[in-house]
Amino acid sequence: MNILDWINVGKVSAERDDDLVNYFYDNGVLRAVLASNSSFLVLGRKGAGKTAVFRYLQENPHEYLRDTDILVSLSFEDYNWKVHSLLRNTETADSLAYKQSWRFVILVEVIKAHVSRCKKDGVAVPTPIASAQKLLEKLFDHPLPSIYQLIGRKLLGLSKVKLPKAGLDLEEGNFDSLEVSGGEISFDEVESDNDIRTCLAQNIGNIISYMEKAIAQTTPCRYRTIICFDRVDEAWDDVSLEVSRRVLSGLVSAADSLTAKYSEIMRPIVFLREDIFSVLPLNDSNKLREDCGALLKWGRDDLFKLLIRRLSYFAELNGQPPVDDLEALFDKNEMRQRSKPPNYLLKRSMMRPRDMICFLSRTIDAMHDSVNDPFADTSNVFSQIAVEAIYQAESGYSEWLKQELLDEWSVQRPSIIQLLSAIQNHASTQFSRADLEAQLAKLEIEFTPAGMLDDLRFLFANSVIGFKIGDSTAWRYRCFYPSQGFIESDTYKVHDGLIRALNLKEPRDIA
């Protein structure tokens, strides 16, 4: 049978992959986060598979959660940056300015989820939770609107709410003295009026205190609410960079404080790109990364198992036996420099699922192109994956990998464009610090010795370049050796996956 009749590796993007649930491969990061009461961050590079984990958890919560857990999943369309900006506290540090608005979002979701689950299970809603629900419904209608509606016009209406001055009625769950004015208020009205904004912030603060007290009084709690945030980086662009930095810092700070207080009642889990987390204005960001997060990283065996699971799904879907040996799929045992085909693909990846899926998918496309060649006298029939097709697909894949890198960093570190241009102009896969400085000078780009060292450190951290250690002949890249720190070197080499896109030559070829 022609292998092209069945072979497929699925889509590169988890958001668009309807078959993801059928071949999702779990490398353990989510279980690691849930197993620790202090963890709330799932970090990973672009393409590492964060959205795949998020989606699979949404569709298969029973594999990870307890029977008494409640899962709430919020994605980008559920957030409203504009309203978050109205609730910021301008008198606090950047990392805390948006903390209040996110605490409000999380606490409202916990109250809603708890009440809904109690009703579903036919058990009494704890009195403090019921009172909090009653307050929210007094303010925002019954039943409570979705978080998307709540963070929109509904929340703005809080600026017209008059809470009892002493707060006694709130504490006792009697809201008769609570005044809710009719009519809507616009974003522009709130934004332009400091008095309205002050009233809004005060009301939000009072309601947050009330909800937190209600949750604290419910301990020990029958249920635990898991609230997952994904795609919070969708607004990460050069237009809204500064606002996004502060908004995301607020989310992390809110998740941190609530997890520390109520980990057995609520567990916010934030899926976030590692590169974005690294530039957020957070206090103790290194401590948060180490103590409260899990890095979504991959090893060689896991990446190969991921490909095998995907290939096997499509094989069995077409009446073929499952794939159990990746190397056996290829028509040659070795490629250039005696590299086995799977290792050749891996060496040109940055150890991310998206890289491997893209390269292999483009290889399969290249085989289809040869079959459909309008100028060929005969049509090819492939019983295995053609190694020659890997070479044909490599240039396009390399361009894709370069663009992924630019998409990942061009907003928060636009100098990456200049650095790649300088490396490309040097034309060699290997260069020294002096070579890079000379090319930057030709491009009339200013730099300092300290800045140049920081740029090299940045390029290594993102596996654009590697170096040798001592007398070793092997080049070390961060993606293959995650624990390797940066070391100044006489010579650096560009990652194999970027060589074609930058049109570089090996030093011997240049001579």
Side-chain angles (χ1 to χ4, degrees):
M1 183 179 183
N2 191 337
I3 195 173
L4 293 181
D5 290 341
W6 67 265
I7 194 165
N8 197 337
V9 285
K11 294 182 179 178
V12 171
S13 172
E15 296 92 333
R16 301 175 182 85
D17 194 346
D18 294 334
D19 291 316
L20 178 66
V21 66
N22 296 312
Y23 45 62
F24 173 78
Y25 181 82
D26 181 10
N27 75 344
V29 67
L30 188 57
R31 297 185 194 280
V33 169
L34 290 171
S36 168
N37 284 339
S38 64
S39 292
F40 61 89
L41 282 169
V42 177
L43 301 174
R45 288 193 67 179
K46 189 175 187 291
K50 297 180 298 301
T51 295
V53 174
F54 175 84
R55 276 196 57 196
Y56 192 76
L57 174 61
Q58 272 186 302
E59 298 176 26
N60 301 273
H62 59 279
E63 292 189 22
Y64 300 91
L65 306 181
R66 306 184 299 225
D67 292 340
T68 53
D69 284 337
I70 309 166
L71 178 65
V72 177
S73 299
L74 299 177
S75 195
F76 176 69
E77 58 268 19
D78 299 310
Y79 316 134
N80 188 318
W81 292 157
K82 290 177 69 178
V83 176
H84 273 295
S85 69
L86 293 182
L87 302 180
R88 71 185 185 276
N89 185 344
T90 57
E91 298 179 358
T92 63
D94 279 354
S95 61
L96 302 176
Y98 293 81
K99 180 178 177 180
Q100 176 170 269
S101 61
W102 283 113
R103 285 172 67 207
F104 177 82
V105 168
I106 294 170
L107 290 167
V108 169
E109 284 298 308
V110 171
I111 298 294
K112 286 170 58 179
H114 199 103
V115 171
S116 177
R117 180 62 180 268
C118 285
K119 291 180 178 178
K120 178 183 176 182
D121 291 352
V123 299
V125 179
T127 300
I129 297 291
S131 295
Q133 172 84 351
K134 183 179 177 182
L135 169 62
L136 294 173
E137 289 179 344
K138 172 89 172 180
L139 296 170
F140 300 115
D141 295 336
H142 175 79
L144 273 177
S146 69
I147 201 67
Y148 177 78
Q149 295 168 319
L150 194 66
I151 296 298
R153 291 184 178 274
K154 297 288 185 182
L155 188 56
L156 296 181
L158 277 184
S159 58
K160 291 188 175 183
V161 171
K162 292 183 180 179
L163 297 176
K165 291 182 180 179
L168 296 177
D169 289 343
L170 287 184
E171 289 184 10
E172 296 172 6
N174 181 353
F175 310 120
D176 292 338
S177 60
L178 183 65
E179 296 181 17
V180 182
S181 302
E184 293 185 344
I185 189 167
S186 70
F187 175 89
D188 292 335
E189 287 179 88
V190 179
E191 187 176 39
S192 61
D193 192 318
N194 286 334
D195 290 338
I196 294 179
R197 288 179 59 176
T198 299
C199 180
L200 177 60
Q202 287 175 346
N203 282 337
I204 285 287
N206 289 336
I207 296 166
I208 286 173
S209 297
Y210 185 79
M211 289 191 290
E212 277 207 58
K213 187 173 182 179
I215 288 171
Q217 290 175 340
T218 311
T219 307
C221 191
R222 179 188 295 267
Y223 304 111
R224 179 180 65 163
T225 304
I226 312 293
I227 306 178
C228 295
F229 295 86
D230 185 44
R231 299 177 66 189
V232 290
D233 51 29
E234 290 290 312
W236 191 261
D237 54 47
D238 52 4
V239 175
S240 55
L241 174 61
E242 288 308 311
V243 172
S244 293
R245 276 164 49 99
R246 294 192 291 272
V247 170
L248 293 178
S249 296
L251 173 58
V252 172
S253 296
D256 182 24
S257 65
L258 291 174
T259 300
K261 284 185 178 181
Y262 310 112
S263 62
E264 284 303 314
I265 301 176
M266 68 179 81
R267 292 294 303 277
I269 298 179
V270 182
F271 293 76
L272 187 61
R273 274 170 39 189
E274 186 184 11
D275 58 291
I276 291 178
F277 178 81
S278 69
V279 297
L280 295 182
L282 290 165
N283 293 324
D284 295 327
S285 59
N286 285 337
K287 181 180 178 182
L288 283 175
R289 186 196 300 268
E290 294 297 324
D291 296 344
C292 305
L295 182 62
L296 183 51
K297 57 185 178 181
W298 295 81
R300 175 181 182 274
D301 290 345
D302 279 334
L303 283 174
F304 286 173
K305 287 176 182 177
L306 179 146
L307 289 180
I308 287 173
R309 179 164 296 188
R310 285 172 170 253
L311 290 164
S312 293
Y313 170 75
F314 289 105
E316 294 178 294
L317 197 64
N318 289 273
Q320 299 299 305
V323 175
D324 55 14
D325 184 353
L326 198 58
E327 291 181 16
L329 282 179
F330 296 88
D331 64 356
K332 293 181 181 178
N333 294 328
E334 292 183 346
M335 299 178 64
R336 295 170 188 158
Q337 299 168 341
R338 303 187 66 181
S339 178
K340 294 181 179 180
N343 288 339
Y344 188 92
L345 299 174
L346 188 71
K347 192 176 181 182
R348 282 148 185 80
S349 79
M350 291 190 173
M351 295 295 282
R352 302 176 298 194
R354 188 177 295 183
D355 303 340
M356 298 293 286
I357 294 166
C358 179
F359 201 171
L360 189 52
S361 181
R362 285 173 177 263
T363 298
I364 294 168
D365 288 343
M367 294 167 63
H368 280 287
D369 287 345
S370 69
V371 169
N372 299 320
D373 185 350
F375 303 105
D377 294 331
T378 59
S379 180
N380 289 327
V381 176
F382 296 97
S383 59
Q384 294 172 287
I385 299 175
V387 161
E388 186 60 34
I390 298 178
Y391 297 133
Q392 293 168 4
E394 189 169 351
S395 293
Y397 163 75
S398 185
E399 287 287 350
W400 174 87
L401 188 61
K402 175 187 172 184
Q403 190 56 52
E404 283 285 289
L405 194 63
L406 293 175
D407 290 345
E408 186 176 13
W409 280 103
S410 58
V411 173
Q412 62 268 37
R413 189 117 182 191
S415 61
I416 189 174
I417 299 172
Q418 300 169 334
L419 291 169
L420 291 182
S421 294
I423 292 172
Q424 184 167 5
N425 290 345
H426 181 60
S428 173
T429 60
Q430 298 179 32
F431 64 89
S432 65
R433 173 173 172 165
D435 293 331
L436 186 57
E437 290 175 343
Q439 293 302 327
L440 289 171
K442 288 181 181 179
L443 292 171
E444 299 182 347
I445 297 170
E446 295 182 1
F447 59 87
T448 64
M452 190 73 262
L453 183 61
D454 186 54
D455 285 336
L456 289 169
R457 194 185 305 275
F458 162 73
L459 292 173
F460 172 73
N462 287 277
S463 301
V464 177
I465 61 172
F467 47 75
K468 293 180 180 178
I469 302 293
D471 296 329
S472 172
T473 59
W475 295 93
R476 297 180 74 86
Y477 298 89
R478 182 72 178 276
C479 57
F480 304 129
Y481 303 96
S483 61
Q484 175 66 59
F486 175 75
I487 298 175
E488 287 191 74
S489 176
D490 294 334
T491 306
Y492 303 96
K493 185 180 179 184
V494 176
H495 187 285
D496 284 351
L498 296 168
I499 289 175
R500 295 292 187 90
L502 298 176
N503 196 27
L504 304 179
K505 303 291 185 183
E506 295 289 345
R508 61 179 179 272
D509 296 331
I510 295 175

